[in-house]
Amino acid sequence: DGRPTGGRQMVPDAVRKEKVRLMTALARRLTATRSLQVRSVLGARVPLVTVAPVRPNPARLSLDVSVQPRDNLGRFTVRAMQAFGAADSRVRQVVLAVKTWARRRNINEAFRGTLNSFSLILMVVLLLQSVQPPVLPNIFLPALPLRGGAASRAAATPNGGAPPPPRPTGP
């Protein structure tokens, strides 16, 4: 990504190689502890190391470690997710339930072509913003003014462009 380091400009390949080098060194050190199960995923778009306890782990807890620039979208993501969690205590419970469901079905590993955790969280947030009444507010709409055709369509919509409430099902 061409970020300067130590007075020189790094090209994307050099940045990636440095990330892989750091993750390899981390994996070696963590593997030496023998109390952790360590898996390196160095071929992923973002190289990472996954760490889990060796001892029985019924909750299948693990930690993913990666290296990203300081201005990474991840910081914004963490703050946004914290804000959603603070808005309603049910958010965390639903997110954890969906992530557990996805893990048990082996559909939560982006490096294998499935969904990543952030995608699952976004789907939960969208669902909780779309139900009537909404569990979560849409924090992005007030900050993103509509222009052109989108603005005229939203103005012509009775609810200002928000999705319509779900229709009741059943008799």
Side-chain angles (χ1 to χ4, degrees):
D1 55 1
R3 302 205 187 281
T5 56
R8 66 181 193 275
Q9 192 78 0
M10 292 184 76
V11 295
D13 286 344
V15 172
R16 177 163 179 69
K17 285 179 184 176
E18 180 65 9
K19 289 179 181 182
V20 169
R21 186 190 69 73
L22 289 170
M23 292 293 97
T24 302
L26 176 65
R28 269 195 219 112
R29 288 189 181 203
L30 291 173
T31 301
T33 67
R34 299 193 185 273
S35 62
L36 297 172
Q37 179 182 9
V38 180
R39 182 178 67 163
S40 299
V41 187
L42 303 176
R45 185 178 55 83
V46 176
L48 61 95
V49 172
T50 300
V51 183
V54 171
R55 65 185 186 313
N57 186 6
R60 295 179 64 193
L61 297 175
S62 65
L63 172 70
D64 293 340
V65 181
S66 65
V67 180
Q68 293 297 321
R70 285 187 187 199
D71 61 346
N72 183 284
L73 183 61
R75 288 178 184 234
F76 166 78
T77 302
V78 168
R79 288 190 183 113
M81 296 307 111
Q82 288 171 338
F84 285 130
D88 192 299
S89 62
R90 298 172 288 182
V91 174
R92 187 176 194 283
Q93 295 167 352
V94 174
V95 165
L96 290 176
V98 168
K99 288 175 73 173
T100 299
W101 171 85
R103 186 180 318 115
R104 289 183 178 162
R105 283 156 183 77
N106 294 317
I107 59 169
N108 69 326
E109 295 176 334
F111 66 92
R112 291 189 179 166
T114 62
L115 300 172
N116 62 20
S117 289
F118 185 60
S119 299
L120 295 168
I121 292 169
L122 286 178
M123 287 191 278
V124 169
V125 167
L126 178 63
L127 171 73
L128 296 177
Q129 290 173 333
S130 302
V131 296
Q132 292 298 324
V135 173
L136 290 174
N138 188 332
I139 63 170
F140 300 106
L141 282 181
L144 300 172
L146 298 175
R147 295 191 178 118
S152 58
R153 284 190 300 277
T157 307
N159 58 357
R167 295 182 183 194
T169 58

